[in-house]
């Protein structure tokens, strides 16, 4: 069941997502050669608590950290560690919080110093695919119009869209209906309505879309070892079109 949100609820979800966006922006600035992701996790947690926000992932189905940090061929749900980041790595950071009863959830992928052209293009392709998906989050369109826009852009760039994980509704729960796949034919699924709030989150691989989860039960990597990127925004569907909530300055 898809829960529609009132304008005042959307305002609260915006506040939660503002906190997430602010913290991701601070983390982005700390990503450099020699930094370690366990420190980023600790910083994310402290910044959240200082804002009266509770990290949403820690303890979620037993996930042990506040931040997901996925390096290079890691797709999602990578564990923060003391391993120093190296020049040329790409790092996906996914962060969520609960604030004032509502969740915020967003993710970015950032280069560590100078990265390969392939890595840079992967990052740009994934972010652009997210924006094109967001553009479809308009009343009257259907859910898979978002999915299709993402998949088309990714495949035109000769990359592939991960199937195993999807976006989701967000509000009083971190994961609400509907599931938001990043692939599919256009014109299918539920009709989009004002008051829906969706976390749209393409995961894109340079090689095949197949992934596998490691022994730790969380860390998900590409099967072929190719690089992967992940961007996520929480987006409200309004009469006036999509509004990105996980931003500090109104841009996406
Ligand atoms: N953005 C991801 C999601 O919506 C992050 C979840 S990590 C988890 O599923 F640890 F909470 F599972
Ligand atoms: Co999410």
């Amino acid at each position: 069941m898809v829960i529609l949100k009132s304008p005042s609820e959307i305002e609260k979800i915006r506040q939660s997502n503002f906190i997430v966006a602010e913290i991701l922006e601070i983390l982005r600035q700390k990503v450099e050669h020699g930094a370690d992701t366990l420190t980023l996790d600790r910083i994310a947690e402290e910044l959240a608590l200082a804002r009266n926000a509770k990290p949403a992932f820690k303890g979620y189905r037993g996930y042990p950290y506040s931040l997901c940090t996925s390096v290079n061929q890691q797709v999602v749900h990578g564990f923060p560690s003391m391993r120093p980041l190296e020049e040329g790595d790409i790092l996906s950071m996914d962060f969520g919080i609960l604030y004032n009863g509502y969740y915020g959830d967003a993710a970015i992928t950032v280069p560590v110093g100078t990265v390969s052209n392939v890595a840079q293009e992967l990052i740009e392709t994934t972010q652009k695919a997210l924006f094109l998906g967001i553009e479809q989050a308009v009343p009257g369109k259907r859910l898979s119009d978002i999915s299709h826009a993402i998949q088309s852009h990714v495949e035109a760039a000769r990359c592939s869209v991960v199937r195993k994980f999807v976006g989701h509704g967000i509000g009083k729960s971190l994961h609400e209906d509907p599931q938001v796949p990043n692939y599919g034919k256009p014109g299918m699924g539920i009709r989009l309505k004002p008051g829906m709030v969706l976390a749209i989150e393409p995961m894109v691989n340079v090689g095949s879309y197949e992934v596998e989860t490691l022994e730790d039960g969380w860390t998900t990597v590409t099967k072929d070892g190719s690089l992967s990127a992940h961007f996520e925004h929480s987006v409200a569907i309004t009469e006036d079109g999509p509004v990105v909530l996980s931003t500090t300055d109104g841009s996406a």
Side-chain angles (χ1 to χ4, degrees):
M1 184 198 56
V2 177
I3 302 168
L4 295 181
K5 280 83 180 180
S6 67
S8 76
E9 285 182 293
I10 290 176
E11 189 45 42
K12 288 179 192 165
I13 304 172
R14 185 206 298 277
Q15 287 175 14
S16 301
N17 276 288
F18 182 94
I19 293 171
V20 170
E22 221 181 7
I23 293 174
L24 281 175
E25 198 44 52
I26 294 169
L27 296 177
R28 177 208 295 278
Q29 290 167 18
K30 298 190 183 296
V31 171
E32 59 182 9
H33 161 85
D36 71 82
T37 49
L38 199 58
T39 300
L40 297 176
D41 174 70
R42 202 203 62 228
I43 292 169
E45 184 169 312
E46 284 172 1
L47 290 171
L49 296 175
R51 288 160 172 75
N52 291 318
K54 183 172 124 45
F57 301 164
K58 199 170 198 166
Y60 179 86
R61 297 182 181 217
Y63 184 77
Y65 299 95
S66 294
L67 186 68
C68 298
T69 56
S70 306
V71 181
N72 295 339
Q73 79 288 352
Q74 296 177 346
V75 179
V76 286
H77 304 161
F79 284 177
S81 83
M82 285 173 65
R83 183 183 87 80
L85 293 167
E86 288 171 27
E87 182 89 11
D89 285 345
I90 60 172
L91 170 66
S92 301
M93 295 185 287
D94 190 348
F95 190 53
I97 56 122
L98 173 62
Y99 176 74
N100 197 16
Y102 290 87
Y103 282 88
D105 187 9
I108 56 175
T109 300
V110 298
V112 182
T114 306
V115 301
S116 68
N117 288 337
V118 167
Q120 190 58 42
E121 281 162 24
L122 171 68
I123 290 173
E124 284 166 17
T125 296
T126 309
Q127 189 171 29
K128 179 79 192 287
L130 171 57
F131 292 154
L132 292 171
I134 291 170
E135 261 178 28
Q136 298 296 313
V138 168
K141 297 219 183 218
R142 287 187 184 272
L143 186 65
S144 82
D145 293 329
I146 298 172
S147 317
H148 181 72
I150 293 170
Q151 181 180 21
S152 304
H153 182 72
V154 168
E155 293 182 354
R158 299 176 174 280
C159 293
S160 66
V161 160
V162 172
R163 272 52 168 175
K164 192 169 168 204
F165 299 96
V166 295
H168 49 94
I170 183 167
K172 287 189 180 194
S173 302
L174 176 60
H175 295 135
E176 295 183 359
D177 287 342
Q179 293 196 351
V180 185
N182 297 301
Y183 60 94
K185 292 186 193 133
M188 318 282 280
I190 59 166
R191 200 172 282 284
L192 301 177
K193 292 200 180 103
M196 291 179 177
V197 182
L198 304 177
I200 305 174
E201 50 178 318
M203 289 140 274
V204 175
N205 301 347
V206 166
S208 107
Y209 64 74
E210 287 188 288
V211 299
E212 61 192 14
T213 300
L214 303 184
E215 307 270 86
D216 64 22
W218 284 99
T219 310
T220 298
V221 300
T222 57
K223 244 187 189 160
D224 60 11
S226 67
L227 292 176
S228 186
H230 179 207
F231 281 86
E232 175 175 22
H233 270 308
S234 295
V235 179
I237 300 174
T238 75
E239 304 278 5
D240 303 327
V243 177
V244 174
L245 303 179
S246 42
T247 172
T248 51
D249 61 4
S251 77

